[in-house]
Structures are given as structure tokens and as C-alpha cells.
Amino acid sequence: MMVMVNDMKQKSIQAQVSSSIRKELKQFSFIKKPSVKSESFAGGNAVTVFLEDVNPDDICKIRELCRKYEYGKYDSQQEYYDYNNVKSDLPQVKYCMVEVKYSPELRQSVYEFLIKQKIVMKTSELFKDIPYYDDTVDMVSKYLSGSRKGFWE
């Protein structure tokens, strides 16, 4: 669906949602270089917010912000999309997702934190040199995601 903007351009609903989210992200000072992308596909549309090096608690705030721009949720058990959040005063998309990437520098910081706390043994000077199948890689991911407490506090 297209909407007229300034009598000249047409702006899709997903582009309107992207613009709205970009504006709202400016209130969060902890976000470095956010990126918001939109797409349309057969059966719907989506917006994805890309973030880097964001605390898990702050990710929850961003996901909450995005929820109001989704007009429902997919129920995988019933295999249908439930239109339970329709708001006529807001542009909305079918899916609004948040993706987080962690920089090599932050991963290195978590690795050093785990060594200092004696949670893992030092097997390499640099985290990036540790093989992907090593348990240390899994442990660093758990601390970054917030499923293990300590690093972000």
C-alpha cells in the first residue's frame, strides 16, 4: 500500500514505519549507528532494526518500541497470523525485528572478563583466534546475550 507524501512522492507503509522507528531511536543515547531497513514480500512486509554492541536490557526497550509497529503476531502452534495489535493511528507492518551484532572488541572484552573471573581458562591471547567449537565461544555468547549475568552489570 502506498501513501502520498508532500503531493510528490509515494511512501510505502514499511518505509513510514522505518522512518518512525529511526526518529524514536534518537531518544536512546546508548545506540551507536542504528540502521533500519524495510522490505515487502508476498503476504506482508517487515522492518528490521540493526544494532551493534547493545546491552540486553536495552535491546528489550528497543523491542518494546518496535512492538507497537507490528499489527499482530504469528502463532506457530495454530499456524496463523493473529491480528491482535491493530492501531489505526500508526503505520504498521507484519513483522518488526531487532538484530544485534557484537563487535570483535566487545567479544574480546567479554573474553578478558571471563578469564579475570576464572570462568574460562586463557587458551589464546585474542578471542578471535579461538576455534568456533571451543566452549569458550559459547560462554562469551551467553554473557553477551545476558543469559549469564555479570558482564553487563
Side-chain angles (χ1 to χ4, degrees):
M1 180 180 190
M2 302 295 243
V3 176
M4 292 299 285
V5 177
N6 296 336
D7 297 326
M8 300 290 277
K9 299 179 191 175
Q10 290 186 348
K11 201 170 186 182
S12 66
I13 295 295
Q14 62 269 17
Q16 291 177 44
V17 171
S18 292
S19 296
S20 298
I21 290 174
R22 271 189 209 95
K23 286 176 188 167
E24 288 196 52
L25 286 174
K26 290 179 181 175
Q27 72 181 338
F28 298 106
S29 60
F30 55 82
I31 298 177
K32 298 180 275 179
K33 299 183 280 181
S35 173
V36 183
K37 306 287 182 194
S38 64
E39 63 181 316
S40 64
F41 46 86
N45 49 19
V47 170
T48 305
V49 178
F50 297 93
L51 304 171
E52 186 173 328
D53 295 347
V54 178
N55 179 319
D57 292 337
D58 295 333
I59 294 168
C60 290
K61 293 174 188 172
I62 303 303
R63 284 195 175 120
E64 189 60 37
L65 177 142
C66 288
R67 277 194 193 104
K68 70 181 175 184
Y69 292 104
E70 275 186 319
Y71 48 74
K73 285 186 176 181
Y74 181 73
D75 184 338
S76 59
Q77 288 188 327
Q78 302 293 325
E79 294 187 352
Y80 79 101
Y81 192 88
D82 185 11
Y83 295 87
N84 59 3
N85 191 38
V86 177
K87 295 180 178 156
S88 60
D89 59 331
L90 276 177
Q92 291 182 298
V93 292
K94 195 167 196 174
Y95 302 104
C96 190
M97 300 157 286
V98 178
E99 235 178 82
V100 182
K101 177 183 166 194
Y102 294 107
S103 67
E105 295 81 16
L106 186 61
R107 290 179 186 277
Q108 181 68 31
S109 295
V110 174
Y111 176 56
E112 291 168 4
F113 167 81
L114 295 175
I115 292 168
K116 187 176 178 182
Q117 298 295 316
K118 298 184 177 168
I119 296 169
V120 299
M121 290 179 22
K122 186 174 188 176
T123 56
S124 172
E125 203 58 44
L126 298 174
F127 176 74
K128 68 181 182 101
D129 295 335
I130 299 172
Y132 70 92
Y133 52 82
D134 191 297
D135 288 341
T136 302
V137 174
D138 185 47
M139 191 62 70
V140 167
S141 294
K142 287 178 180 176
Y143 275 85
L144 282 171
S145 72
S147 65
R148 296 282 176 98
K149 302 294 178 198
F151 177 73
W152 292 103
E153 296 162 359

